[in-house]
Structures are given as C-alpha cells and as structure tokens.
Amino acid sequence: MNTQLKRSERISGIELLKIIAMALIVLNHMIQSLTEANPNMPQIGYALDINSSTTSIVNLLLAILRISGCLGNVIFVVCSAWFFLDSNTSSKKKVIFLVLDIWTISVMIFGITYLCGLDLDRDDSLKQFFPTANGNTWFLTCYILLYIMHPYLNKLIAAIKKQTMLLVTFTLVVLYSLVNFFRPWFFNGNLLYSTDLIVFVMIYFVVAYMKLYTKDASENTKVNVVSLIIGLTGQALCTCAINFMGLKWDMFDGKLLYFNYGGSPFVILTALAAFNLFRKIPFKSRFVNYISGLSLLIYLIHENIIIAWHYRPYIFIYIYEHFGYSHIMLWLFAATLCYFIAAIIVAFIYRQTIERLVRIVSDKAYQGLKALYTKVSNALMKIH
C-alpha cells in the first residue's frame, strides 16, 4: 500500500466534500438547538417539536434534515477510510497530539466560560477534563480508535480473498446497518450490541470492498448519481412514512426521528455516491485543502457541550422573541452559515497560535512515553 499524500497535495474534490460534510454536521447541531429545549434557559417556548408526527411542513422538513449530521459523520468516515486503506501504520505521535488537542480545547472553553460566570454542575465540569474518555467528543474518540485499528484491519483485508471479503462485509452491513435501521418500532436502542465504533468498522469494510473490487461501478458517474438520488430519497421517504403512520396510529406517534441512524443504509449509500462523485473532480486548491484540514477543530469548537447546551440555544431564543418563526427555515440556514464561518475563524486562530504550543508539548510527551514504554517492555521481556 502506498504512503498517504500530504493534505496540501490531495485532490481537492474530496477535501471540498469534507467541508460540505462539516457544514451538514453544523446544520444538524443547529437544528438540535432549535428543537431540543434546555430547561435551564430563560424560556423553553423557542423549541420546536420534531419528535411527534405533524401536519406542519416546516416541522417535517426539520425532521428530514436532522439526518444531515449522520450523513456528515459517515462522509468523514468514508473519506478517512479511503486514505487509511493506503497506510500500513498508525502514528503514535499523531494519536497523542489529537488527544492533547482535544483536551486543550475542552479545558480552554471550560476555563473561559467559568471565568464568565457560567455555573456548571460537577458532571459537566468533569466531562471537560476527560473529553476523549467519556464520549464528550464521541465522534473524535471513535475516529482515533479507528485510526489506531486501521493497520490491523488492513492486514485482515489483505489476507482474505474476495469471496470472504464479500461475506464479511455483507454480514456487517446486514447486522449493523439493515437490522438496526429496520428494527421493530417497539425496540429501544440499537440491537446486536451495535456501537458507533462498530458502525465505523462496518463502513470501513464497505469502503475497502468498493476500493478493491468494484472499481468500475464506483467510477461510473451514472451509477453514483442514481445511488445518490436513491439514498437521499429513501431516507426522506422513511421519515415521511413514519410521520404518516404516526398521524394514523398512536403507537407510531413520537417516533418521527426513528430512522435518524448513523448506520442507515440510505445514509451510507448517499455518502459513498457523493464521495465517488467528488473524488473525480480534478482540481487542487490549497485554500480548500487548508479549510478541510480545520474540520476536526471546527467540530471540537462548535459542538463542545458547554457551547452547544448553554450558549447556542440563545441564537434561537433571540430569533423567537424578536422575529418569530414565520421564516424559521431562512433564519436557520442564515444562522448556520454565520455559526460555521465563526467556527472556521476561531479554528484558524487556534491553529496559528495555541495549537503550535500543543504540538510542541505533544512531541515531548511522545518522547517521554516512548522512553517509558521501552523501559517497561524491556523489564517485562526479562520475566520468565
């Protein structure tokens, strides 16, 4: 397998798709703030109900758009898997840097908001000091774990034949995409011990099979356009169907977000099709590649639990109190754009300043941990 390209040298089509994916994630989180009331806010009347079946086109559209976060996450996993498959090793230095970077941003936001007078309970405070371990940044935790695992997954993929690879991939898709997506309505939670990490691994095998054995189909523009349409339409129709059922039968009411699942076969199909279409766009842009490189920072900054839960709702409280919701979709997209741009600016400033110090500290930490590991491993090897 080939060495991974530096980000500045990558084809910008994929990097542009990652920027779009980040925008989708931000949109989803803005909808979350619009529709999930924080009881600690001055008022909770600003929140719209998109869980209950509705005759409101706006509420139904918001419920459909709520899948944008899952789609953005899956696009990131697909893009990452594509490059991970060309790598035989994972950098321990990179892992330490990512963990320290996540911790620094989390603690900084806690410190700033604490000095501004925000009163957090003990649990929320502790989460800021252990963001990677407790799932405060669940996507990045899974991303790091997948990054650590990918050399071993690659060895497994390289060791098995096409037929076995197809069987493994098909089994994972059935168990952790189809079964959990079409699970009976009376089951709460995911089935078969499904977790976000397992879904990531399932997507990794799907991308690997596509890259190794379906080159002609994956590079066919018509196939990908049709797949994109089927994926987007199928996901939307599922939400519309559960809404219709909820209006007819009470047992289905309150389940409008029932199909909002990251392992959705329609979401995965959409992400794969979009990836195949964008990777064929033949252009290179240092600017696009640089903004794409800020994606993880943008995620950390805009979706920190303090920002998301204690500050972001004020955007919609202000809109609700001063303008009303007669044009809420326009306000939503305008607020999302401004929020996204603000997160990019903050991420850029952080990268040019504090992150440079974080990298220096992480390099020293890596050297220290490497020396400690050498001493411990040598001592253990002497045990008979």
Side-chain angles (χ1 to χ4, degrees):
M1 293 184 179
N2 301 323
T3 305
Q4 293 188 64
L5 292 172
K6 293 182 178 179
R7 186 177 300 278
S8 61
E9 299 173 352
R10 291 181 182 178
I11 298 298
S12 296
I14 296 176
E15 304 305 312
L16 177 60
L17 178 62
K18 290 167 72 174
I19 295 174
I20 295 172
M22 193 68 248
L24 290 172
I25 292 172
V26 174
L27 173 62
N28 168 64
H29 290 150
M30 293 295 281
I31 296 174
Q32 189 175 17
S33 294
L34 172 61
T35 59
E36 295 183 10
N38 181 350
N40 297 317
M41 290 291 103
Q43 67 148 295
I44 60 174
Y46 71 92
L48 297 177
D49 177 17
I50 62 169
N51 289 294
S52 302
S53 297
T54 179
T55 56
S56 168
I57 298 298
V58 170
N59 286 22
L60 180 59
L61 183 58
L62 288 172
I64 292 172
L65 289 175
R66 196 71 164 74
I67 199 65
S68 59
C70 294
L71 177 57
N73 289 336
V74 174
I75 288 174
F76 266 108
V77 177
V78 169
C79 293
S80 299
W82 184 267
F83 292 111
F84 287 172
L85 285 162
D86 292 329
S87 170
N88 290 321
T89 60
S90 58
S91 170
K92 300 176 182 65
K93 182 183 290 187
K94 179 178 179 180
V95 171
I96 293 173
F97 170 71
L98 285 173
V99 172
L100 187 57
D101 216 20
I102 294 169
W103 183 86
T104 301
I105 292 175
S106 183
V107 172
M108 279 182 58
I109 292 176
F110 170 78
I112 293 171
T113 54
Y114 180 79
L115 293 175
C116 291
L118 180 64
D119 185 21
L120 292 175
D121 60 30
R122 182 188 63 183
D123 291 342
D124 283 345
S125 298
L126 288 175
K127 286 180 179 179
Q128 298 304 305
F129 289 90
F130 303 96
T132 307
N134 66 18
N136 194 19
T137 54
W138 73 267
F139 178 85
L140 295 180
T141 300
C142 288
Y143 174 86
I144 291 172
L145 292 173
L146 181 66
Y147 176 73
I148 294 171
M149 294 167 55
H150 86 266
Y152 308 102
L153 295 176
N154 289 351
K155 289 181 180 180
L156 173 62
I157 291 168
I160 59 180
K161 296 180 180 179
K162 179 180 178 180
Q163 185 175 3
T164 305
M165 179 67 178
L166 176 61
L167 179 60
V168 171
T169 304
F170 179 77
T171 302
L172 289 173
V173 169
V174 170
L175 295 179
Y176 298 108
S177 179
L178 298 178
V179 169
N180 275 279
F181 184 74
F182 293 109
R183 67 195 184 282
W185 62 268
F186 47 81
F187 280 108
N188 292 318
N190 296 329
L191 303 179
L192 301 171
Y193 303 99
S194 178
T195 65
D196 293 313
L197 182 59
I198 290 177
V199 172
F200 279 24
V201 172
M202 177 263 292
I203 295 171
Y204 194 90
F205 272 85
V206 172
V207 174
Y209 190 86
M210 179 185 75
K211 188 171 186 176
L212 294 173
Y213 302 116
T214 64
K215 293 181 180 180
D216 291 340
S218 63
E219 293 179 0
N220 188 306
T221 301
K222 183 177 180 180
V223 169
N224 287 305
V225 169
V226 172
S227 297
L228 186 69
I229 294 172
I230 292 174
L232 292 172
T233 305
Q235 186 69 40
L237 287 177
C238 285
T239 302
C240 291
I242 200 73
N243 181 62
F244 175 80
M245 294 165 67
L247 292 173
K248 293 292 183 180
W249 301 287
D250 290 343
M251 69 177 67
F252 296 108
D253 191 20
K255 299 182 180 297
L256 197 51
L257 300 180
Y258 183 78
F259 293 109
N260 191 31
Y261 171 56
S264 161
F266 296 113
V267 168
I268 295 173
L269 182 63
T270 302
L272 292 173
F275 175 80
N276 288 327
L277 290 171
F278 273 83
R279 70 185 174 92
K280 293 179 66 179
I281 301 176
F283 83 103
K284 288 187 179 181
S285 168
R286 284 183 174 271
F287 175 77
V288 169
N289 292 3
Y290 182 84
I291 298 299
S292 173
L294 297 175
S295 296
L296 296 183
L297 293 180
I298 294 170
Y299 184 94
L300 283 170
I301 292 166
H302 96 276
E303 186 53 13
N304 179 276
I305 190 171
I306 294 177
I307 302 296
W309 192 241
H310 296 279
Y311 288 101
R312 203 164 61 210
Y314 281 107
I315 297 173
F316 295 104
I317 291 176
Y318 183 85
I319 294 172
Y320 179 75
E321 292 181 341
H322 291 80
F323 304 101
Y325 281 174
S326 58
H327 302 290
I328 187 57
M329 296 306 299
L330 293 177
W331 282 113
L332 172 65
F333 287 115
T336 299
L337 178 61
C338 293
Y339 193 58
F340 187 38
I341 292 173
I344 292 174
I345 294 172
V346 175
F348 171 77
I349 294 172
Y350 175 83
R351 171 147 294 176
Q352 297 301 318
T353 54
I354 298 172
E355 191 176 65
R356 295 184 178 184
L357 298 176
V358 173
R359 191 171 292 278
I360 293 173
V361 173
S362 69
D363 287 346
K364 292 184 178 181
Y366 169 73
Q367 295 300 330
L369 290 172
K370 183 179 179 181
L372 178 62
Y373 171 78
T374 301
K375 291 181 181 179
V376 172
S377 61
N378 289 339
L380 292 175
M381 291 298 291
K382 294 178 181 179
I383 298 176
H384 297 286

